[in-house]
Amino acid sequence: MNSSGTARRNPFARPWMTEHGAAAAAGGGQGVKGIIAGGITGGIEICITFPTEYVKTQLQLDEKSGKGGTKQYDGIVDCVKKTVKQRGFFGLYRGLSVLLYGSIPKSAVRFGAFEEFKKRSVDSKGNLSPGGRLLCGLGAGVCEAIFAVTPMETVKVKFINDQRSANPRFKGFFHGVSLIIKEQGIRGTYQGLSATIMKQGSNQAIRFYVMETCKDWYRKGDPNAHVPKLVVGAFGAVAGAASVFGNTPIDVVKTRMQGLDAHKYKNTADCALQIWRHEGPKAFYKGTVPRLSRVCLDVAITFMIYDSFMELFNKFWK
């Protein structure tokens, strides 16, 4: 209070740390809630969507080499038929344990990071600017790439690649990881980092931007307005499709860099250049259809589950 009787404004006050309105809700342990809700979400969604991820990876690895090699699969249906015929239905779930072990921390890091960045970026009403949505998503993607996705994806691709060989060497998750580390060191589980950062960063920047923009449009600028779960799912599918068309080329390069033949490439740029030279630009969009179906379903399910848990947490965890 100054001499004139009016309240003096605190020059150190930050709008995201106020105790009123939606901005206050963003600060009440949202990062921790995001980590827990994200981890649960990741475990559930990967069990539902893994077969399409398996087919996508198989088609991307089925490269048309210039050394007389022949393709194993003629397309999505052929890949599914041959896999089921050779290994049974659960052959489509080969490598699930690797993704399951990684999906929980990956999703936890992604949503926890996004909630933390969002908490520090919202205005006094609890709204994110368009640029803020993009940057928060980008930050979340970079965090998950560094702390979870790169080692998880590297091991997953090596496991699927190993299965394609005449005599698979990996007997299980821990045996496979120990063999990779023994032969290649820790670096063997941490390949393609730059490509993964580019992929995950662009992925989450696009997805969170589209999702937050759609939800903001539906709520007409009121961050406390309820968005029905089916609507969230529809927005998630749109966000997933946008991310697929935006970064499938990066995903193809990342997959090649993390495969058993990664030694053929000097680095990420060399990998992209060799694909362009030997297989043409269409090779950068290999696996787009199975990836599109998986990602749209994946992102829709993920945001629906995540929103449900966050609503539950916000109701009972103040």
Side-chain angles (χ1 to χ4, degrees), residues 23 48 51 56-57 62 75 77 82 95 110 243 260 274 296 303:
I48 298 172
K56 179 213 73 171
T57 305
D62 194 27
V77 176
K82 287 183 177 178
R110 176 200 309 160
S243 68
L260 295 178
Q274 287 198 40
C296 288
F303 277 107

Side-chain angles (χ1 to χ4, degrees), residues 224-286:
N224 292 318
H226 176 72
V227 182
K229 292 297 170 285
L230 288 179
V231 175
V232 172
F235 291 161
V238 173
S243 68
V244 167
F245 289 110
N247 73 359
T248 289
I250 298 175
D251 186 51
V252 170
V253 173
K254 176 195 70 67
T255 299
R256 297 285 182 88
M257 285 295 295
Q258 292 172 332
L260 295 178
D261 293 329
H263 63 275
K264 295 194 305 184
Y265 312 115
K266 298 177 182 177
N267 49 46
T268 301
D270 180 62
C271 178
L273 187 60
Q274 287 198 40
I275 293 173
W276 180 278
R277 285 178 176 173
H278 301 302
E279 302 171 55
K282 290 184 179 179
F284 287 105
Y285 278 90
K286 280 187 176 181

Side-chain angles (χ1 to χ4, degrees), residues 9 21 30 74 77 86 110 112 148 163 180-181 210 220 231 243 290 304 309 313:
R9 182 179 180 277
Q30 291 298 95
D74 293 328
V77 176
Q86 295 172 6
R110 176 200 309 160
Q163 181 213 335
I180 293 171
I181 294 177
V210 173
K220 302 186 186 304
V231 175
S243 68
M304 290 174 70
F309 278 107
F313 289 166

Side-chain angles (χ1 to χ4, degrees), residues 14-280:
R14 294 171 174 79
W16 60 79
M17 296 180 68
T18 59
E19 298 297 330
H20 307 286
Q30 291 298 95
V32 177
K33 295 176 186 176
I35 290 174
I36 298 174
I40 296 172
T41 298
I44 295 174
E45 65 86 13
I46 198 59
C47 291
I48 298 172
T49 63
F50 183 80
T52 53
E53 170 70 12
Y54 176 88
V55 172
K56 179 213 73 171
T57 305
Q58 287 281 27
L59 290 177
Q60 287 183 349
L61 291 173
D62 194 27
E63 64 179 283
K64 182 169 54 180
S65 68
K67 301 180 180 180
T70 56
K71 295 174 64 176
Q72 292 187 36
Y73 308 114
D74 293 328
I76 301 169
V77 176
D78 184 55
C79 179
V80 173
K81 284 183 177 179
K82 287 183 177 178
T83 301
V84 173
K85 183 179 179 179
Q86 295 172 6
R87 303 181 182 278
F89 173 76
F90 288 103
L92 294 171
Y93 279 88
R94 178 65 184 260
L96 173 63
S97 60
V98 181
L99 271 193
L100 193 59
Y101 294 146
S103 286
I104 294 176
K106 177 183 75 172
S107 190
V109 170
R110 176 200 309 160
F111 284 105
F114 179 79
E115 293 293 348
E116 189 64 27
F117 291 141
K118 180 179 178 180
K119 178 181 72 174
R120 300 173 183 278
S121 304
V122 294
D123 59 22
S124 58
K125 295 181 180 179
N127 291 316
L128 269 176
S129 66
R133 298 165 197 162
L134 201 65
L135 290 175
C136 288
L138 177 64
V142 171
C143 285
E144 71 171 350
I146 295 173
F147 297 111
V149 177
T150 299
M152 179 196 74
E153 287 287 300
T154 302
V155 172
K156 180 207 73 174
V157 173
K158 288 183 185 297
F159 263 73
I160 293 178
N161 229 338
D162 178 68
Q163 181 213 335
R164 291 162 57 88
S165 64
N167 300 300
R169 303 170 61 208
F170 302 154
K171 300 177 181 178
F173 175 75
F174 294 106
H175 175 262
V177 172
S178 63
L179 199 59
I180 293 171
I181 294 177
K182 180 180 179 180
E183 296 178 352
Q184 304 173 30
I186 293 296
R187 186 176 182 277
T189 63
Y190 227 85
Q191 294 174 334
L193 177 60
S194 58
T196 305
I197 288 177
M198 288 188 289
K199 179 204 169 186
Q200 297 305 125
S202 59
N203 248 347
Q204 303 312 326
I206 294 171
R207 291 178 189 177
F208 278 111
Y209 175 82
V210 173
M211 173 57 72
E212 291 293 316
T213 299
C214 289
K215 289 170 74 173
D216 186 64
W217 166 79
Y218 186 90
R219 294 182 298 209
K220 302 186 186 304
D222 179 7
N224 292 318
H226 176 72
V227 182
K229 292 297 170 285
L230 288 179
V231 175
V232 172
F235 291 161
V238 173
S243 68
V244 167
F245 289 110
N247 73 359
T248 289
I250 298 175
D251 186 51
V252 170
V253 173
K254 176 195 70 67
T255 299
R256 297 285 182 88
M257 285 295 295
Q258 292 172 332
L260 295 178
D261 293 329
H263 63 275
K264 295 194 305 184
Y265 312 115
K266 298 177 182 177
N267 49 46
T268 301
D270 180 62
C271 178
L273 187 60
Q274 287 198 40
I275 293 173
W276 180 278
R277 285 178 176 173
H278 301 302
E279 302 171 55

